[in-house]
Amino acid sequence: MTRAASSDQNIAGLHIPVLGVEAVQALEPRDGGVYIDATFGRGGYTQLLLQTANCRVIAYDQDPDAIAAGEKLVAQYPGRLTLRHSPFSRLADHDDGLVDGIAFDLGVSSPQLDTAERGFSFRLDGPLDMRMSLDGESAADLVNTASVEELTRIMRDYGEEPKARRIAQGIVAQRVTRPFVRTGELASLVASIVPKQKDGHHPATRTFQALRIAVNDELGELERGLVAAEQILKIGGRMAVVSFHSLEDRIVKNYMRARSTVATPSRHVPILDNAAKPTLRLVTRQGITASEEDLAINPRARSARLRVAEKMHDDMGQVA
Ligand SMILES: C[S@@+](CC[C@H](N)C(=O)[O-])C[C@H]1O[C@@H](n2cnc3c(N)ncnc32)[C@H](O)[C@@H]1O
Protein backbone atom coordinates (compact mmCIF):
# COMPACT_ATOMS: atom_id res chain seq x y z
CA MET A 1 0.00 0.00 0.00
CA THR A 2 2.86 2.38 0.62
CA ARG A 3 4.41 4.21 -2.26
CA ALA A 4 7.48 2.54 -3.62
CA ALA A 5 10.18 4.68 -5.12
CA SER A 6 11.05 1.94 -7.60
CA SER A 7 7.68 2.23 -9.35
CA ASP A 8 7.85 5.98 -9.77
CA GLN A 9 8.05 7.63 -13.16
CA ASN A 10 10.83 9.97 -14.18
CA ILE A 11 9.44 12.69 -16.41
CA ALA A 12 11.83 15.40 -17.59
CA GLY A 13 14.01 14.88 -14.54
CA LEU A 14 11.04 14.95 -12.15
CA HIS A 15 10.33 12.16 -9.76
CA ILE A 16 6.62 11.37 -10.14
CA PRO A 17 4.97 8.62 -8.08
CA VAL A 18 2.96 5.92 -9.86
CA LEU A 19 -0.19 7.30 -11.60
CA GLY A 20 1.00 10.84 -10.86
CA VAL A 21 1.27 11.86 -14.50
CA GLU A 22 -2.23 10.55 -15.16
CA ALA A 23 -3.58 12.35 -12.07
CA VAL A 24 -2.08 15.71 -13.04
CA GLN A 25 -3.16 15.34 -16.68
CA ALA A 26 -6.70 14.57 -15.53
CA LEU A 27 -6.87 18.04 -13.93
CA GLU A 28 -6.18 19.58 -17.37
CA PRO A 29 -4.01 22.36 -15.89
CA ARG A 30 -4.36 25.69 -17.68
CA ASP A 31 -2.51 29.02 -17.61
CA GLY A 32 -3.83 31.31 -14.90
CA GLY A 33 -5.48 28.44 -13.00
CA VAL A 34 -5.13 27.71 -9.28
CA TYR A 35 -4.54 24.09 -8.24
CA ILE A 36 -4.21 22.33 -4.94
CA ASP A 37 -1.73 19.56 -4.30
CA ALA A 38 -3.31 18.10 -1.15
CA THR A 39 -0.35 15.78 -0.44
CA PHE A 40 2.87 17.64 -1.30
CA GLY A 41 5.36 14.95 -0.14
CA ARG A 42 8.53 15.60 -2.06
CA GLY A 43 6.71 17.82 -4.56
CA GLY A 44 6.54 15.64 -7.68
CA TYR A 45 2.88 16.46 -8.44
CA THR A 46 3.40 20.14 -7.64
CA GLN A 47 6.34 20.43 -10.03
CA LEU A 48 4.47 18.67 -12.77
CA LEU A 49 1.53 21.06 -12.34
CA LEU A 50 3.84 24.09 -12.37
CA GLN A 51 5.61 22.86 -15.49
CA THR A 52 2.45 21.90 -17.36
CA ALA A 53 0.83 25.34 -17.22
CA ASN A 54 1.60 28.86 -16.02
CA CYS A 55 -0.60 28.25 -13.00
CA ARG A 56 -0.41 28.70 -9.24
CA VAL A 57 -0.25 25.81 -6.77
CA ILE A 58 -1.22 25.70 -3.12
CA ALA A 59 0.36 22.59 -1.62
CA TYR A 60 -0.62 20.95 1.65
CA ASP A 61 1.20 18.47 3.81
CA GLN A 62 0.70 17.65 7.45
CA ASP A 63 4.35 16.63 7.75
CA PRO A 64 6.55 19.60 8.82
CA ASP A 65 9.59 17.90 7.26
CA ALA A 66 7.89 17.82 3.83
CA ILE A 67 7.00 21.51 4.06
CA ALA A 68 10.54 22.46 5.18
CA ALA A 69 12.08 20.49 2.31
CA GLY A 70 9.71 22.23 -0.14
CA GLU A 71 10.98 25.74 0.57
CA LYS A 72 13.56 25.35 -2.22
CA LEU A 73 10.75 24.91 -4.72
CA VAL A 74 8.96 28.04 -3.51
CA ALA A 75 12.09 30.00 -4.40
CA GLN A 76 12.32 28.24 -7.76
CA TYR A 77 8.78 29.32 -8.77
CA PRO A 78 8.48 32.90 -7.45
CA GLY A 79 4.90 33.89 -6.70
CA ARG A 80 3.49 30.59 -7.98
CA LEU A 81 3.76 28.17 -5.07
CA THR A 82 2.33 28.44 -1.57
CA LEU A 83 3.14 25.70 0.95
CA ARG A 84 0.76 25.01 3.78
CA HIS A 85 1.50 22.89 6.82
CA SER A 86 -1.98 21.54 7.39
CA PRO A 87 -3.99 18.33 7.09
CA PHE A 88 -6.04 18.21 3.88
CA SER A 89 -9.26 17.83 5.88
CA ARG A 90 -8.87 21.60 6.43
CA LEU A 91 -8.73 22.53 2.73
CA ALA A 92 -11.88 24.60 3.06
CA ASP A 93 -10.72 26.49 6.16
CA HIS A 94 -8.52 28.91 4.22
CA ASP A 95 -9.49 31.96 2.28
CA ASP A 96 -8.21 30.96 -1.16
CA GLY A 97 -11.45 31.32 -3.10
CA LEU A 98 -12.53 28.55 -5.45
CA VAL A 99 -9.86 26.51 -7.24
CA ASP A 100 -9.57 24.80 -10.64
CA GLY A 101 -8.37 21.38 -9.55
CA ILE A 102 -7.23 19.31 -6.60
CA ALA A 103 -4.95 16.26 -6.53
CA PHE A 104 -4.58 13.75 -3.71
CA ASP A 105 -1.78 11.18 -3.65
CA LEU A 106 -2.63 9.19 -0.54
CA GLY A 107 -0.37 7.27 1.82
CA VAL A 108 3.12 7.91 3.14
CA SER A 109 6.03 9.23 1.13
CA SER A 110 9.32 7.46 0.44
CA PRO A 111 11.26 9.88 2.68
CA GLN A 112 8.88 9.08 5.53
CA LEU A 113 9.23 5.34 4.96
CA ASP A 114 12.97 5.40 4.45
CA THR A 115 13.83 7.50 7.50
CA ALA A 116 14.19 5.14 10.48
CA GLU A 117 13.49 7.97 12.98
CA ARG A 118 9.97 8.44 11.61
CA GLY A 119 9.10 4.94 12.81
CA PHE A 120 7.04 3.75 9.80
CA SER A 121 9.34 0.92 8.81
CA PHE A 122 9.45 -2.64 10.07
CA ARG A 123 12.74 -3.08 8.22
CA LEU A 124 14.62 -0.12 9.71
CA ASP A 125 14.76 0.00 13.48
CA GLY A 126 13.66 3.34 14.91
CA PRO A 127 11.34 4.87 17.50
CA LEU A 128 7.82 3.44 17.18
CA ASP A 129 6.30 6.73 16.04
CA MET A 130 4.39 6.75 12.67
CA ARG A 131 2.91 10.25 13.10
CA MET A 132 2.99 12.11 9.79
CA SER A 133 2.33 15.38 11.64
CA LEU A 134 4.82 14.61 14.46
CA ASP A 135 1.96 15.59 16.75
CA GLY A 136 -0.49 13.70 18.96
CA GLU A 137 -0.50 10.03 19.94
CA SER A 138 2.34 7.91 18.52
CA ALA A 139 2.20 4.25 17.56
CA ALA A 140 4.08 3.44 20.79
CA ASP A 141 1.41 5.28 22.83
CA LEU A 142 -1.25 3.27 21.04
CA VAL A 143 0.29 -0.21 21.42
CA ASN A 144 1.24 0.47 25.05
CA THR A 145 -2.24 1.56 26.16
CA ALA A 146 -4.99 0.14 23.91
CA SER A 147 -6.99 -2.91 25.01
CA VAL A 148 -6.74 -6.31 23.31
CA GLU A 149 -10.15 -5.62 21.71
CA GLU A 150 -9.09 -2.26 20.33
CA LEU A 151 -5.79 -3.55 18.97
CA THR A 152 -7.56 -6.55 17.42
CA ARG A 153 -10.09 -4.28 15.72
CA ILE A 154 -7.37 -2.01 14.35
CA MET A 155 -5.32 -4.88 12.90
CA ARG A 156 -8.36 -6.67 11.53
CA ASP A 157 -10.15 -3.65 10.05
CA TYR A 158 -7.18 -1.63 8.78
CA GLY A 159 -4.70 -4.43 8.07
CA GLU A 160 -6.96 -7.40 7.27
CA GLU A 161 -4.56 -9.34 9.49
CA PRO A 162 -5.89 -12.91 10.08
CA LYS A 163 -3.86 -13.23 13.28
CA ALA A 164 -5.06 -9.89 14.67
CA ARG A 165 -6.21 -11.28 18.02
CA ARG A 166 -3.08 -13.36 18.63
CA ILE A 167 -0.88 -10.34 17.88
CA ALA A 168 -2.97 -8.08 20.14
CA GLN A 169 -2.70 -10.62 22.98
CA GLY A 170 1.05 -10.90 22.39
CA ILE A 171 1.46 -7.10 22.51
CA VAL A 172 -0.49 -6.79 25.75
CA ALA A 173 1.42 -9.67 27.39
CA GLN A 174 4.81 -8.26 26.42
CA ARG A 175 4.17 -4.62 27.33
CA VAL A 176 3.50 -5.50 31.00
CA THR A 177 7.19 -6.07 31.50
CA ARG A 178 8.65 -4.26 28.49
CA PRO A 179 6.63 -1.43 26.91
CA PHE A 180 7.24 -1.03 23.17
CA VAL A 181 9.67 1.71 22.22
CA ARG A 182 11.26 0.65 18.91
CA THR A 183 9.81 -0.54 15.59
CA GLY A 184 12.20 -3.52 15.73
CA GLU A 185 10.65 -4.77 18.97
CA LEU A 186 7.17 -4.80 17.48
CA ALA A 187 8.33 -6.29 14.18
CA SER A 188 10.06 -9.17 16.06
CA LEU A 189 7.00 -9.89 18.19
CA VAL A 190 4.76 -10.03 15.10
CA ALA A 191 7.28 -12.22 13.26
CA SER A 192 7.14 -14.68 16.18
CA ILE A 193 3.35 -15.03 15.70
CA VAL A 194 2.76 -14.61 11.95
CA PRO A 195 4.39 -17.26 9.75
CA LYS A 196 6.74 -16.32 6.92
CA GLN A 197 4.69 -15.00 3.99
CA LYS A 198 4.65 -16.91 0.68
CA ASP A 199 4.55 -13.61 -1.25
CA GLY A 200 7.82 -12.52 0.40
CA HIS A 201 6.17 -9.72 2.41
CA HIS A 202 7.50 -9.19 5.92
CA PRO A 203 5.12 -10.77 8.48
CA ALA A 204 4.62 -7.36 10.12
CA THR A 205 3.50 -5.61 6.90
CA ARG A 206 -0.22 -5.73 7.73
CA THR A 207 0.27 -4.81 11.40
CA PHE A 208 2.35 -1.75 10.54
CA GLN A 209 -0.14 -0.66 7.86
CA ALA A 210 -3.01 -0.95 10.35
CA LEU A 211 -1.26 1.01 13.10
CA ARG A 212 -0.23 3.72 10.67
CA ILE A 213 -3.81 4.16 9.47
CA ALA A 214 -5.04 4.35 13.07
CA VAL A 215 -2.32 6.71 14.34
CA ASN A 216 -2.94 9.19 11.49
CA ASP A 217 -6.73 8.67 11.30
CA GLU A 218 -6.13 8.25 7.59
CA LEU A 219 -9.65 7.14 6.66
CA GLY A 220 -11.35 9.91 8.65
CA GLU A 221 -8.97 12.43 7.08
CA LEU A 222 -9.86 11.14 3.61
CA GLU A 223 -13.61 11.36 4.22
CA ARG A 224 -13.33 14.94 5.46
CA GLY A 225 -10.80 15.84 2.75
CA LEU A 226 -13.15 14.82 -0.07
CA VAL A 227 -15.98 16.92 1.34
CA ALA A 228 -13.68 19.92 1.77
CA ALA A 229 -12.27 19.46 -1.74
CA GLU A 230 -15.72 19.49 -3.30
CA GLN A 231 -16.60 22.65 -1.36
CA ILE A 232 -13.70 24.67 -2.78
CA LEU A 233 -13.79 23.41 -6.37
CA LYS A 234 -15.05 25.71 -9.11
CA ILE A 235 -17.82 24.42 -11.30
CA GLY A 236 -15.99 22.48 -14.02
CA GLY A 237 -13.00 21.93 -11.71
CA ARG A 238 -11.76 18.42 -11.08
CA MET A 239 -10.51 16.32 -8.21
CA ALA A 240 -8.10 13.45 -8.88
CA VAL A 241 -7.41 10.93 -6.14
CA VAL A 242 -4.76 8.20 -6.20
CA SER A 243 -5.22 5.55 -3.52
CA PHE A 244 -3.03 2.60 -2.72
CA HIS A 245 -5.30 0.17 -0.94
CA SER A 246 -8.88 -0.97 -1.03
CA LEU A 247 -9.98 0.75 2.21
CA GLU A 248 -9.12 4.15 0.77
CA ASP A 249 -10.38 3.36 -2.70
CA ARG A 250 -13.76 2.28 -1.32
CA ILE A 251 -14.18 5.65 0.40
CA VAL A 252 -13.25 7.55 -2.77
CA LYS A 253 -15.46 5.39 -5.00
CA ASN A 254 -18.47 5.61 -2.69
CA TYR A 255 -18.11 9.35 -2.25
CA MET A 256 -17.82 10.07 -5.97
CA ARG A 257 -20.66 7.69 -6.83
CA ALA A 258 -22.98 9.11 -4.20
CA ARG A 259 -22.32 12.69 -5.29
CA SER A 260 -22.75 11.87 -8.98
CA THR A 261 -26.03 10.01 -8.62
CA VAL A 262 -29.49 11.52 -8.53
CA ALA A 263 -31.15 10.58 -5.26
CA THR A 264 -34.22 8.43 -5.90
CA PRO A 265 -37.17 10.69 -5.14
CA SER A 266 -39.44 9.56 -2.37
CA ARG A 267 -43.22 9.77 -2.78
CA HIS A 268 -43.37 11.29 0.68
CA VAL A 269 -40.69 13.96 0.41
CA PRO A 270 -41.11 17.03 -1.78
CA ILE A 271 -38.25 17.47 -4.26
CA LEU A 272 -36.32 20.64 -3.54
CA ASP A 273 -34.88 22.41 -6.52
CA ASN A 274 -31.24 21.43 -6.08
CA ALA A 275 -31.43 18.57 -3.67
CA ALA A 276 -31.75 15.85 -6.31
CA LYS A 277 -29.13 17.12 -8.72
CA PRO A 278 -25.79 15.35 -8.71
CA THR A 279 -22.95 17.66 -7.78
CA LEU A 280 -20.17 15.64 -9.42
CA ARG A 281 -19.66 13.90 -12.77
CA LEU A 282 -17.46 10.81 -12.87
CA VAL A 283 -14.62 11.36 -15.34
CA THR A 284 -13.31 7.82 -14.79
CA ARG A 285 -16.01 5.23 -14.20
CA GLN A 286 -13.91 2.33 -12.94
CA GLY A 287 -10.84 4.35 -12.11
CA ILE A 288 -7.43 4.07 -13.77
CA THR A 289 -4.91 1.47 -12.67
CA ALA A 290 -1.14 1.33 -13.10
CA SER A 291 0.29 0.45 -16.51
CA GLU A 292 1.83 -2.96 -17.31
CA GLU A 293 5.17 -1.18 -17.34
CA ASP A 294 4.70 0.08 -13.76
CA LEU A 295 3.50 -3.33 -12.64
CA ALA A 296 6.52 -5.03 -14.16
CA ILE A 297 8.81 -2.79 -12.10
CA ASN A 298 6.80 -3.02 -8.91
CA PRO A 299 3.98 -5.51 -8.31
CA ARG A 300 2.77 -3.35 -5.41
CA ALA A 301 1.57 -0.78 -7.94
CA ARG A 302 -1.19 -3.34 -8.57
CA SER A 303 -3.36 -1.84 -5.85
CA ALA A 304 -2.98 1.76 -7.03
CA ARG A 305 -6.10 3.38 -8.48
CA LEU A 306 -6.83 6.87 -9.76
CA ARG A 307 -10.38 8.21 -9.64
CA VAL A 308 -11.37 11.54 -11.12
CA ALA A 309 -14.59 13.56 -10.76
CA GLU A 310 -15.65 16.96 -12.06
CA LYS A 311 -17.81 19.42 -10.22
CA MET A 312 -21.08 20.00 -12.09
CA HIS A 313 -23.12 21.98 -9.74
CA ASP A 314 -23.12 22.84 -6.08
CA ASP A 315 -25.64 22.58 -3.33
CA MET A 316 -26.30 26.31 -3.56
CA GLY A 317 -27.53 25.95 -7.12
CA GLN A 318 -24.50 27.17 -9.11
CA VAL A 319 -24.51 25.14 -12.34
CA ALA A 320 -21.83 24.65 -14.99
C1 LIG B 1 2.45 9.57 -1.20
S1 LIG B 1 3.10 11.01 -0.52
C2 LIG B 1 2.86 12.19 -1.77
C3 LIG B 1 3.96 12.24 -2.79
C4 LIG B 1 3.83 13.41 -3.72
N1 LIG B 1 2.67 13.30 -4.59
C5 LIG B 1 5.06 13.60 -4.58
O1 LIG B 1 4.93 13.68 -5.81
O2 LIG B 1 6.14 13.67 -4.04
C6 LIG B 1 1.84 11.48 0.62
C7 LIG B 1 2.14 12.77 1.39
O3 LIG B 1 0.90 13.23 1.88
C8 LIG B 1 1.02 13.61 3.21
N2 LIG B 1 -0.28 13.37 3.83
C9 LIG B 1 -0.87 12.18 4.07
N3 LIG B 1 -2.06 12.37 4.64
C10 LIG B 1 -2.24 13.71 4.74
C11 LIG B 1 -3.29 14.54 5.24
N4 LIG B 1 -4.40 14.01 5.76
N5 LIG B 1 -3.14 15.87 5.16
C12 LIG B 1 -2.01 16.43 4.63
N6 LIG B 1 -0.97 15.69 4.18
C13 LIG B 1 -1.10 14.36 4.22
C14 LIG B 1 2.12 12.76 3.78
O4 LIG B 1 2.73 13.43 4.88
C15 LIG B 1 3.05 12.58 2.59
O5 LIG B 1 4.05 13.56 2.60
Side-chain angles (χ1 to χ4, degrees):
M1 66 163 290
T2 46
R3 328 315 305 267
S6 58
S7 68
D8 297 353
Q9 299 153 283
N10 274 297
I11 309 290
L14 295 184
H15 193 80
I16 312 292
V18 67
L19 289 177
V21 173
E22 292 82 348
V24 170
Q25 278 172 353
L27 298 184
E28 301 182 336
R30 59 169 185 83
D31 292 353
V34 179
Y35 298 87
I36 287 190
D37 178 351
T39 51
F40 178 73
R42 70 176 90 169
Y45 276 37
T46 286
Q47 287 187 77
L48 194 54
L49 278 162
L50 290 167
Q51 292 191 5
T52 306
N54 187 10
C55 60
R56 281 208 311 119
V57 173
I58 304 167
Y60 283 70
D61 206 297
Q62 61 180 342
D63 183 343
D65 291 353
I67 297 297
E71 290 301 339
K72 278 197 300 271
L73 265 192
V74 176
Q76 220 174 302
Y77 292 93
R80 294 180 59 200
L81 171 59
T82 305
L83 293 181
R84 211 164 264 160
H85 177 219
S86 165
F88 56 58
S89 54
R90 316 224 358 220
L91 283 180
D93 296 4
H94 302 271
D95 204 8
D96 297 316
L98 298 177
V99 302
D100 297 275
I102 304 172
F104 292 84
D105 180 24
L106 303 172
V108 282
S109 65
S110 302
Q112 287 167 335
L113 255 190
D114 298 341
T115 305
E117 286 64 41
R118 299 303 304 267
F120 287 101
S121 173
F122 40 74
R123 294 187 197 282
L124 306 171
D125 185 42
L128 186 55
D129 192 323
M130 299 195 194
R131 295 167 304 168
M132 293 186 204
S133 64
L134 297 175
D135 197 35
E137 193 180 57
S138 69
D141 295 332
L142 183 60
V143 299
N144 288 325
T145 57
S147 64
V148 169
E149 285 65 36
E150 180 65 357
L151 289 168
T152 304
R153 185 194 65 76
I154 288 171
M155 282 179 284
R156 193 192 51 221
D157 292 356
Y158 300 157
E160 297 172 75
E161 172 54 66
K163 300 235 180 291
R165 192 160 193 89
R166 289 271 319 279
I167 298 169
Q169 287 166 334
I171 288 173
V172 171
Q174 180 166 320
R175 77 187 186 198
V176 176
T177 50
R178 244 177 335 125
F180 289 86
V181 178
R182 311 282 298 174
T183 53
E185 295 161 355
L186 182 62
S188 312
L189 172 84
V190 177
S192 72
I193 295 168
V194 176
K196 239 177 157 191
Q197 306 291 288
K198 288 198 194 85
D199 56 12
H201 282 151
H202 189 286
T205 305
R206 288 189 292 263
T207 297
F208 272 60
Q209 168 182 309
L211 290 173
R212 196 199 90 198
I213 291 173
V215 165
N216 295 288
D217 184 22
E218 290 182 34
L219 305 182
E221 265 296 310
L222 178 55
E223 283 167 359
R224 295 187 292 275
L226 292 170
V227 173
E230 190 184 324
Q231 276 171 8
I232 58 163
L233 263 186
K234 276 183 192 161
I235 302 297
R238 290 181 171 185
M239 61 168 103
V241 189
V242 176
S243 65
F244 243 67
H245 60 85
S246 55
L247 296 170
E248 285 169 346
D249 183 53
R250 196 174 311 137
I251 290 172
V252 180
K253 179 178 77 181
N254 289 343
Y255 183 81
M256 289 185 176
R257 289 218 173 131
R259 304 292 285 168
S260 60
T261 312
V262 180
T264 316
S266 155
R267 281 189 294 127
H268 309 292
V269 181
I271 299 174
L272 299 172
D273 216 21
N274 296 312
K277 287 186 187 158
T279 54
L280 296 179
R281 174 179 80 81
L282 298 182
V283 177
T284 54
R285 273 208 166 267
Q286 305 301 328
I288 295 172
T289 52
S291 65
E292 286 302 320
E293 208 180 326
D294 272 338
L295 293 176
I297 303 169
N298 178 5
R300 284 194 296 171
R302 198 166 292 286
S303 47
R305 191 174 290 268
L306 163 66
R307 292 187 188 271
V308 185
E310 184 174 297
K311 184 146 160 188
M312 299 281 289
H313 150 88
D314 68 25
D315 292 339
M316 302 308 288
Q318 193 191 355
V319 186

